[in-house]
Coordinates of all heavy atoms in Angstrom, one line a residue:
M13 N 0.8 -1.2 0.0 CA 0.0 0.0 0.0 C 0.9 1.3 0.0 O 0.3 2.3 -0.2 CB -0.9 0.0 1.2 CG -2.0 -1.0 1.3 SD -3.1 -1.1 -0.1 CE -4.0 0.4 0.1
G14 N 2.1 1.1 0.2 CA 3.0 2.3 0.2 C 3.4 2.8 -1.1 O 4.3 3.6 -1.3
Q15 N 2.9 2.2 -2.2 CA 3.3 2.6 -3.5 C 2.5 3.9 -3.9 O 1.4 4.0 -3.6 CB 3.0 1.5 -4.5 CG 3.7 0.2 -4.2 CD 3.3 -0.9 -5.2 OE1 2.4 -0.7 -6.0 NE2 4.0 -2.0 -5.1
D16 N 3.2 4.7 -4.7 CA 2.5 5.9 -5.2 C 2.0 5.6 -6.6 O 2.7 5.3 -7.5 CB 3.6 7.0 -5.3 CG 3.0 8.4 -5.6 OD1 1.8 8.5 -5.6 OD2 3.8 9.3 -5.9
P17 N 0.6 5.7 -6.8 CA 0.1 5.4 -8.1 C 0.4 6.5 -9.2 O 0.3 6.2 -10.3 CB -1.4 5.4 -7.8 CG -1.6 6.2 -6.6 CD -0.4 6.1 -5.8
F18 N 0.9 7.7 -8.8 CA 1.2 8.7 -9.7 C 2.7 8.8 -9.9 O 3.2 9.8 -10.4 CB 0.7 10.1 -9.2 CG -0.8 10.1 -9.0 CD1 -1.3 10.3 -7.7 CD2 -1.7 9.8 -10.0 CE1 -2.7 10.3 -7.5 CE2 -3.0 9.8 -9.8 CZ -3.5 10.0 -8.6
H19 N 3.5 7.8 -9.6 CA 4.9 7.9 -9.7 C 5.4 8.0 -11.2 O 6.3 8.7 -11.5 CB 5.6 6.6 -9.1 CG 7.1 6.6 -9.1 ND1 7.8 7.5 -8.4 CD2 7.9 5.8 -9.9 CE1 9.1 7.2 -8.7 NE2 9.2 6.2 -9.6
K20 N 4.7 7.3 -12.0 CA 5.1 7.3 -13.4 C 4.3 8.3 -14.2 O 4.7 8.7 -15.3 CB 4.8 5.9 -14.1 CG 5.7 4.8 -13.5 CD 5.4 3.5 -14.1 CE 6.3 2.4 -13.5 NZ 6.0 1.1 -14.0
E21 N 3.2 8.8 -13.7 CA 2.4 9.8 -14.4 C 2.8 11.2 -14.0 O 2.1 11.8 -13.1 CB 0.9 9.5 -14.2 CG 0.5 8.1 -14.6 CD 0.4 8.0 -16.1 OE1 0.3 9.0 -16.8 OE2 0.6 6.9 -16.6
H22 N 3.8 11.8 -14.5 CA 4.2 13.1 -14.1 C 3.2 14.2 -14.4 O 3.0 15.1 -13.6 CB 5.6 13.4 -14.7 CG 6.7 12.5 -14.3 ND1 7.1 12.4 -13.0 CD2 7.3 11.5 -15.0 CE1 8.1 11.5 -12.9 NE2 8.2 10.9 -14.1
H23 N 2.6 14.2 -15.6 CA 1.7 15.2 -16.0 C 0.5 15.2 -15.1 O 0.0 16.2 -14.6 CB 1.2 15.0 -17.4 CG 0.2 16.0 -17.9 ND1 0.6 17.3 -18.1 CD2 -1.1 15.9 -18.2 CE1 -0.5 18.0 -18.5 NE2 -1.5 17.1 -18.6
L24 N 0.0 14.0 -14.8 CA -1.2 13.8 -13.9 C -0.8 14.3 -12.5 O -1.6 14.9 -11.8 CB -1.7 12.4 -13.9 CG -2.9 12.1 -13.1 CD1 -4.1 12.9 -13.6 CD2 -3.2 10.6 -13.2
R25 N 0.4 14.0 -12.0 CA 0.8 14.4 -10.7 C 0.9 15.9 -10.6 O 0.5 16.5 -9.6 CB 2.2 13.8 -10.4 CG 2.8 14.4 -9.1 CD 4.0 13.7 -8.7 NE 3.5 13.0 -7.5 CZ 4.3 12.2 -6.8 NH1 5.4 11.9 -7.2 NH2 3.8 11.7 -5.7
M26 N 1.4 16.6 -11.7 CA 1.4 18.1 -11.6 C 0.0 18.7 -11.6 O -0.3 19.6 -10.8 CB 2.1 18.6 -12.9 CG 3.6 18.4 -12.9 SD 4.5 19.2 -14.3 CE 3.2 19.6 -15.4
K27 N -0.9 18.1 -12.3 CA -2.3 18.6 -12.3 C -3.0 18.3 -10.9 O -3.7 19.2 -10.4 CB -3.2 17.9 -13.4 CG -2.8 18.3 -14.8 CD -3.1 19.7 -15.0 CE -2.8 20.1 -16.4 NZ -3.0 21.6 -16.6
M28 N -2.7 17.2 -10.3 CA -3.2 16.9 -9.0 C -2.6 17.8 -7.9 O -3.3 18.2 -7.0 CB -3.0 15.5 -8.6 CG -3.7 14.5 -9.5 SD -5.5 14.5 -9.2 CE -5.6 13.7 -7.6
D29 N -1.4 18.2 -8.1 CA -0.7 19.1 -7.1 C -1.2 20.5 -7.2 O -1.0 21.3 -6.2 CB 0.8 19.0 -7.2 CG 1.3 17.7 -6.7 OD1 0.6 17.0 -5.9 OD2 2.5 17.3 -7.1
E30 N -1.9 20.9 -8.3 CA -2.3 22.3 -8.4 C -3.5 22.6 -7.4 O -3.7 23.7 -7.1 CB -2.8 22.5 -9.8 CG -1.7 22.6 -10.9 CD -2.3 22.8 -12.3 OE1 -3.5 23.0 -12.4 OE2 -1.5 22.8 -13.2
Y31 N -4.2 21.5 -7.1 CA -5.4 21.8 -6.3 C -5.2 21.4 -4.8 O -4.5 20.4 -4.5 CB -6.6 20.9 -6.8 CG -6.9 21.2 -8.2 CD1 -6.5 20.4 -9.2 CD2 -7.7 22.4 -8.5 CE1 -6.8 20.7 -10.6 CE2 -8.0 22.7 -9.8 CZ -7.6 21.9 -10.8 OH -7.9 22.2 -12.1
Q32 N -5.7 22.2 -3.9 CA -5.6 22.0 -2.5 C -7.1 21.8 -2.0 O -7.8 22.8 -2.1 CB -4.9 23.1 -1.7 CG -3.4 23.2 -2.0 CD -2.7 21.9 -1.5 OE1 -3.0 21.4 -0.5 NE2 -1.6 21.6 -2.3
V33 N -7.4 20.7 -1.4 CA -8.8 20.5 -0.9 C -8.7 20.3 0.6 O -8.0 19.4 1.1 CB -9.4 19.3 -1.6 CG1 -10.8 19.1 -1.0 CG2 -9.5 19.5 -3.1
D34 N -9.4 21.1 1.3 CA -9.5 20.9 2.8 C -10.9 20.3 3.1 O -11.9 20.8 2.9 CB -9.4 22.3 3.5 CG -8.1 22.9 3.3 OD1 -7.1 22.1 3.2 OD2 -8.0 24.1 3.2
V35 N -10.8 19.1 3.6 CA -12.0 18.3 4.0 C -12.3 18.6 5.4 O -11.5 18.3 6.3 CB -11.8 16.8 3.7 CG1 -13.1 16.1 4.1 CG2 -11.5 16.6 2.2
P36 N -13.5 19.2 5.8 CA -13.8 19.4 7.2 C -14.0 18.1 7.9 O -14.5 17.1 7.3 CB -15.0 20.3 7.1 CG -15.6 20.0 5.8 CD -14.5 19.6 4.9
D37 N -13.7 18.1 9.2 CA -13.9 17.0 10.0 C -15.3 17.0 10.6 O -15.6 17.9 11.5 CB -12.9 16.9 11.1 CG -13.0 15.6 12.0 OD1 -13.5 14.6 11.4 OD2 -12.6 15.7 13.1
F38 N -16.2 16.2 10.2 CA -17.6 16.1 10.7 C -17.6 15.2 11.8 O -17.3 14.0 11.7 CB -18.6 15.7 9.6 CG -18.7 16.7 8.5 CD1 -18.1 16.4 7.2 CD2 -19.3 17.9 8.7 CE1 -18.3 17.3 6.2 CE2 -19.4 18.8 7.6 CZ -18.9 18.5 6.4
P39 N -18.1 15.6 13.0 CA -18.1 14.6 14.1 C -19.2 13.6 13.9 O -20.3 14.0 13.5 CB -18.4 15.5 15.3 CG -19.0 16.8 14.8 CD -18.5 16.9 13.4
R40 N -18.9 12.4 14.2 CA -20.0 11.3 14.1 C -20.8 11.4 15.4 O -20.4 11.6 16.5 CB -19.3 10.0 14.0 CG -18.6 9.8 12.7 CD -18.1 8.3 12.7 NE -19.1 7.4 12.9 CZ -19.7 6.6 12.0 NH1 -19.3 6.7 10.8 NH2 -20.6 5.8 12.3
E41 N -22.1 11.1 15.1 CA -23.0 11.1 16.3 C -22.9 9.7 17.0 O -23.0 8.7 16.3 CB -24.5 11.2 15.8 CG -24.8 12.6 15.2 CD -26.2 12.7 14.8 OE1 -27.0 12.1 15.4 OE2 -26.5 13.5 13.9
S42 N -22.6 9.8 18.2 CA -22.4 8.5 19.0 C -23.6 8.3 19.9 O -23.5 7.6 20.9 CB -21.1 8.6 19.7 OG -21.1 9.6 20.7
T43 N -24.7 8.9 19.6 CA -25.9 8.7 20.5 C -26.6 7.5 20.0 O -26.3 6.9 18.9 CB -26.8 9.9 20.4 OG1 -27.3 10.0 19.0 CG2 -26.2 11.2 20.8
R44 N -27.5 7.0 20.8 CA -28.2 5.8 20.5 C -29.1 6.0 19.2 O -29.2 5.2 18.3 CB -29.2 5.4 21.6 CG -28.5 4.6 22.6 CD -29.6 4.1 23.6 NE -29.0 3.1 24.5 CZ -29.6 2.6 25.5 NH1 -30.8 2.9 25.7 NH2 -29.1 1.7 26.2
W45 N -29.7 7.2 19.1 CA -30.5 7.5 18.0 C -29.7 7.6 16.7 O -30.1 7.1 15.7 CB -31.2 8.9 18.3 CG -32.2 9.2 17.2 CD1 -32.0 10.2 16.3 CD2 -33.4 8.6 16.8 NE1 -33.1 10.3 15.4 CE2 -34.0 9.3 15.8 CE3 -34.1 7.5 17.4 CZ2 -35.2 8.9 15.2 CZ3 -35.3 7.1 16.8 CH2 -35.8 7.8 15.7
G46 N -28.5 8.2 16.8 CA -27.6 8.2 15.6 C -27.2 6.8 15.2 O -27.1 6.6 14.0
R47 N -26.8 6.0 16.1 CA -26.5 4.6 15.7 C -27.6 3.8 15.1 O -27.5 3.0 14.2 CB -25.9 3.9 17.0 CG -24.6 4.3 17.4 CD -23.9 3.4 18.4 NE -24.7 3.2 19.6 CZ -24.6 3.8 20.7 NH1 -23.6 4.7 20.9 NH2 -25.4 3.6 21.7
F48 N -28.8 4.1 15.6 CA -30.0 3.4 15.1 C -30.3 3.9 13.7 O -30.6 3.1 12.8 CB -31.2 3.7 16.0 CG -32.5 3.1 15.5 CD1 -32.7 1.7 15.5 CD2 -33.5 3.9 15.0 CE1 -33.9 1.2 15.1 CE2 -34.7 3.3 14.6 CZ -34.9 2.0 14.6
I49 N -30.2 5.2 13.4 CA -30.4 5.7 12.1 C -29.3 5.1 11.1 O -29.6 4.8 10.0 CB -30.4 7.2 12.1 CG1 -31.5 7.8 12.9 CG2 -30.3 7.8 10.7 CD1 -32.9 7.4 12.3
N50 N -28.1 5.0 11.6 CA -27.0 4.4 10.7 C -27.3 3.0 10.4 O -27.0 2.5 9.4 CB -25.6 4.6 11.4 CG -25.1 6.0 11.3 OD1 -25.6 6.8 10.5 ND2 -24.3 6.3 12.2
L51 N -27.9 2.2 11.4 CA -28.2 0.8 11.2 C -29.3 0.7 10.1 O -29.3 -0.1 9.2 CB -28.7 0.2 12.5 CG -29.2 -1.2 12.4 CD1 -28.1 -2.2 12.1 CD2 -30.0 -1.6 13.6
L52 N -30.3 1.6 10.2 CA -31.4 1.6 9.2 C -30.9 2.0 7.8 O -31.4 1.5 6.8 CB -32.5 2.5 9.6 CG -33.3 2.0 10.8 CD1 -34.4 3.1 11.2 CD2 -33.9 0.7 10.6
A53 N -29.9 2.9 7.8 CA -29.4 3.4 6.5 C -28.3 2.5 5.8 O -28.0 2.7 4.7 CB -28.9 4.8 6.7
S54 N -27.9 1.5 6.6 CA -26.8 0.6 6.0 C -27.4 -0.3 5.0 O -28.5 -0.8 5.1 CB -26.2 -0.2 7.1 OG -27.1 -1.1 7.7
P55 N -26.6 -0.7 3.9 CA -27.1 -1.5 2.9 C -27.3 -2.9 3.4 O -26.6 -3.4 4.2 CB -26.1 -1.5 1.8 CG -24.8 -1.0 2.5 CD -25.3 -0.2 3.7
A56 N -28.3 -3.6 2.8 CA -28.6 -5.0 3.2 C -28.1 -6.0 2.2 O -27.9 -5.6 1.0 CB -30.2 -5.2 3.3
R57 N -27.8 -7.2 2.6 CA -27.3 -8.2 1.8 C -28.5 -8.8 1.0 O -29.6 -9.0 1.6 CB -26.6 -9.3 2.6 CG -25.9 -10.4 1.8 CD -25.2 -11.4 2.6 NE -26.2 -12.2 3.4 CZ -26.8 -13.3 3.0 NH1 -26.5 -13.7 1.8 NH2 -27.6 -13.9 3.7
N58 N -28.4 -9.1 -0.2 CA -29.4 -9.7 -1.0 C -29.4 -11.2 -0.8 O -28.5 -12.0 -1.1 CB -29.1 -9.5 -2.5 CG -30.3 -10.0 -3.4 OD1 -31.3 -10.5 -2.9 ND2 -30.1 -9.8 -4.7
P59 N -30.5 -11.8 -0.2 CA -30.6 -13.2 0.1 C -30.7 -14.1 -1.1 O -30.4 -15.3 -1.0 CB -31.8 -13.3 1.0 CG -32.7 -12.2 0.7 CD -31.7 -11.1 0.3
L60 N -31.1 -13.6 -2.2 CA -31.3 -14.4 -3.4 C -30.1 -14.3 -4.4 O -30.1 -14.8 -5.5 CB -32.5 -14.0 -4.2 CG -33.8 -14.2 -3.4 CD1 -35.0 -13.7 -4.2 CD2 -34.0 -15.6 -3.0
E61 N -29.0 -13.6 -3.9 CA -27.8 -13.4 -4.8 C -27.2 -14.7 -5.2 O -26.8 -14.9 -6.4 CB -26.8 -12.5 -4.1 CG -25.6 -12.2 -5.0 CD -25.9 -11.3 -6.1 OE1 -26.8 -10.5 -6.0 OE2 -25.3 -11.5 -7.2
S62 N -27.1 -15.7 -4.4 CA -26.5 -16.9 -4.7 C -27.3 -17.7 -5.7 O -26.8 -18.5 -6.5 CB -26.2 -17.8 -3.5 OG -27.4 -18.1 -2.8
L63 N -28.6 -17.6 -5.6 CA -29.5 -18.3 -6.5 C -29.5 -17.7 -7.9 O -29.5 -18.4 -8.9 CB -30.9 -18.3 -6.0 CG -31.2 -19.2 -4.8 CD1 -32.6 -19.1 -4.3 CD2 -30.9 -20.7 -5.1
V64 N -29.5 -16.4 -8.0 CA -29.6 -15.7 -9.3 C -28.3 -15.8 -10.0 O -28.3 -15.8 -11.3 CB -29.9 -14.2 -9.0 CG1 -29.9 -13.4 -10.3 CG2 -31.3 -14.1 -8.4
S65 N -27.1 -16.0 -9.4 CA -25.8 -16.0 -10.0 C -25.6 -17.3 -10.7 O -24.7 -17.4 -11.6 CB -24.7 -15.7 -9.0 OG -24.7 -16.7 -8.0
S66 N -26.3 -18.4 -10.4 CA -26.1 -19.7 -11.1 C -27.3 -20.0 -11.9 O -28.4 -19.6 -11.7 CB -25.8 -20.8 -10.0 OG -27.0 -21.0 -9.3
S67 N -27.1 -20.8 -13.0 CA -28.2 -21.2 -13.8 C -29.1 -22.2 -13.1 O -30.4 -22.1 -13.4 CB -27.6 -21.9 -15.1 OG -26.9 -23.1 -14.8
N68 N -28.7 -23.0 -12.3 CA -29.6 -23.9 -11.5 C -30.5 -23.1 -10.6 O -31.6 -23.4 -10.4 CB -28.8 -24.9 -10.7 CG -28.1 -25.9 -11.6 OD1 -28.5 -26.1 -12.8 ND2 -27.0 -26.6 -11.1
G69 N -29.9 -22.1 -10.0 CA -30.7 -21.3 -9.1 C -31.8 -20.5 -9.8 O -32.9 -20.3 -9.3
L70 N -31.4 -20.0 -11.0 CA -32.4 -19.3 -11.8 C -33.6 -20.2 -12.2 O -34.7 -19.8 -12.2 CB -31.7 -18.7 -13.1 CG -32.5 -17.7 -13.9 CD1 -32.9 -16.5 -13.0 CD2 -31.7 -17.2 -15.0
I71 N -33.2 -21.5 -12.6 CA -34.3 -22.5 -12.9 C -35.1 -22.7 -11.7 O -36.4 -22.8 -11.8 CB -33.7 -23.7 -13.5 CG1 -33.0 -23.5 -14.8 CG2 -34.7 -24.9 -13.6 CD1 -32.2 -24.6 -15.4
L72 N -34.5 -22.8 -10.5 CA -35.3 -23.1 -9.3 C -36.2 -21.9 -9.0 O -37.4 -22.1 -8.6 CB -34.3 -23.3 -8.1 CG -35.0 -23.5 -6.8 CD1 -35.7 -24.8 -6.7 CD2 -33.9 -23.4 -5.7
L73 N -35.7 -20.7 -9.2 CA -36.6 -19.5 -8.9 C -37.8 -19.4 -9.9 O -38.8 -18.9 -9.5 CB -35.8 -18.2 -9.0 CG -34.9 -18.0 -7.8 CD1 -34.1 -16.7 -8.0 CD2 -35.7 -17.8 -6.5
T74 N -37.6 -19.9 -11.1 CA -38.7 -19.9 -12.0 C -39.7 -21.1 -11.9 O -40.9 -21.0 -12.1 CB -38.3 -19.8 -13.5 OG1 -37.4 -20.9 -13.7 CG2 -37.5 -18.5 -13.8
A75 N -39.1 -22.2 -11.4 CA -39.9 -23.4 -11.2 C -40.7 -23.5 -9.9 O -41.8 -24.1 -9.9 CB -39.1 -24.7 -11.3
A76 N -40.2 -22.8 -8.9 CA -40.9 -22.8 -7.6 C -42.3 -22.2 -7.7 O -43.3 -22.8 -7.2 CB -40.1 -22.1 -6.6
P77 N -42.6 -21.1 -8.3 CA -43.9 -20.6 -8.4 C -44.8 -21.5 -9.2 O -46.0 -21.6 -8.9 CB -43.8 -19.2 -9.0 CG -42.4 -18.8 -8.7 CD -41.6 -20.0 -8.7
L78 N -44.3 -22.0 -10.3 CA -45.1 -22.9 -11.1 C -45.5 -24.2 -10.4 O -46.6 -24.6 -10.5 CB -44.3 -23.3 -12.4 CG -44.0 -22.1 -13.4 CD1 -43.2 -22.6 -14.5 CD2 -45.3 -21.5 -13.9
S79 N -44.6 -24.7 -9.6 CA -44.9 -25.9 -8.8 C -46.0 -25.6 -7.8 O -46.9 -26.4 -7.5 CB -43.7 -26.5 -8.2 OG -43.1 -25.6 -7.3
A80 N -45.9 -24.4 -7.2 CA -46.9 -24.0 -6.2 C -48.3 -23.9 -6.8 O -49.3 -24.3 -6.2 CB -46.5 -22.7 -5.5
V81 N -48.4 -23.3 -8.0 CA -49.6 -23.2 -8.7 C -50.1 -24.6 -9.1 O -51.3 -24.9 -9.0 CB -49.5 -22.4 -10.0 CG1 -50.7 -22.5 -10.9 CG2 -49.2 -20.9 -9.6
G82 N -49.2 -25.5 -9.5 CA -49.6 -26.9 -9.8 C -50.2 -27.6 -8.6 O -51.2 -28.3 -8.7
I83 N -49.6 -27.5 -7.5 CA -50.0 -28.1 -6.3 C -51.4 -27.5 -5.9 O -52.3 -28.3 -5.4 CB -49.0 -27.9 -5.1 CG1 -47.8 -28.8 -5.4 CG2 -49.6 -28.3 -3.8 CD1 -46.6 -28.5 -4.5
G84 N -51.6 -26.3 -6.1 CA -52.9 -25.6 -5.8 C -54.0 -26.2 -6.7 O -55.1 -26.5 -6.2
F85 N -53.7 -26.4 -8.0 CA -54.7 -27.0 -8.9 C -55.0 -28.5 -8.5 O -56.2 -28.9 -8.5 CB -54.3 -26.9 -10.3 CG -54.5 -25.6 -11.0 CD1 -53.5 -24.9 -11.6 CD2 -55.8 -25.1 -11.0 CE1 -53.7 -23.7 -12.2 CE2 -56.0 -23.8 -11.6 CZ -55.0 -23.2 -12.2
I86 N -54.0 -29.2 -8.1 CA -54.2 -30.6 -7.7 C -55.1 -30.6 -6.5 O -56.1 -31.5 -6.4 CB -52.9 -31.3 -7.4 CG1 -52.1 -31.5 -8.7 CG2 -53.1 -32.6 -6.7 CD1 -50.7 -32.0 -8.5
Q87 N -54.9 -29.8 -5.5 CA -55.7 -29.8 -4.3 C -57.1 -29.3 -4.6 O -58.1 -29.8 -4.1 CB -55.1 -28.8 -3.3 CG -53.9 -29.3 -2.6 CD -53.3 -28.3 -1.6 OE1 -53.8 -27.2 -1.6 NE2 -52.3 -28.7 -0.9
L88 N -57.3 -28.4 -5.6 CA -58.6 -27.9 -6.0 C -59.4 -29.0 -6.6 O -60.6 -29.2 -6.3 CB -58.4 -26.7 -6.9 CG -59.7 -26.1 -7.4 CD1 -60.4 -25.4 -6.3 CD2 -59.4 -25.1 -8.5
F89 N -58.8 -29.8 -7.5 CA -59.5 -30.9 -8.2 C -59.8 -32.1 -7.3 O -60.9 -32.7 -7.4 CB -58.7 -31.3 -9.4 CG -58.7 -30.3 -10.5 CD1 -57.5 -29.9 -11.1 CD2 -59.9 -29.8 -11.0 CE1 -57.5 -29.0 -12.2 CE2 -59.9 -28.8 -12.0 CZ -58.7 -28.5 -12.6
F90 N -58.9 -32.4 -6.4 CA -59.1 -33.6 -5.6 C -60.0 -33.3 -4.4 O -60.6 -34.3 -3.8 CB -57.8 -34.3 -5.2 CG -57.2 -35.0 -6.3 CD1 -55.9 -34.6 -6.8 CD2 -57.8 -36.1 -6.9 CE1 -55.3 -35.3 -7.8 CE2 -57.2 -36.7 -8.0 CZ -55.9 -36.3 -8.4
L91 N -60.0 -32.1 -3.9 CA -60.8 -31.8 -2.7 C -62.2 -31.4 -2.9 O -63.0 -31.3 -2.0 CB -60.0 -30.8 -1.8 CG -58.7 -31.2 -1.3 CD1 -58.0 -30.1 -0.5 CD2 -58.8 -32.5 -0.4
L92 N -62.5 -31.1 -4.2 CA -63.9 -30.7 -4.5 C -64.8 -31.8 -4.9 O -64.8 -32.8 -5.3 CB -63.9 -29.6 -5.6 CG -63.4 -28.2 -5.2 CD1 -63.5 -27.3 -6.4 CD2 -64.3 -27.7 -4.1

């Protein structure tokens, strides 16, 4: 991590050195309410990501609703 990405790019380094940016230090809220809001605002993990990324999972996701409809029709015909 100690490598300088602009070591070989002298023109880019000169352009980057022209600008000075002062980033203010914003204090983080350490109250319970602030932590709760940060928890609600944090991104959630997608539970179906592993199924969608594979072809077998995609087939399963399309076949599961069809099988549920099929089971519903079977129950409808045999129970009436």
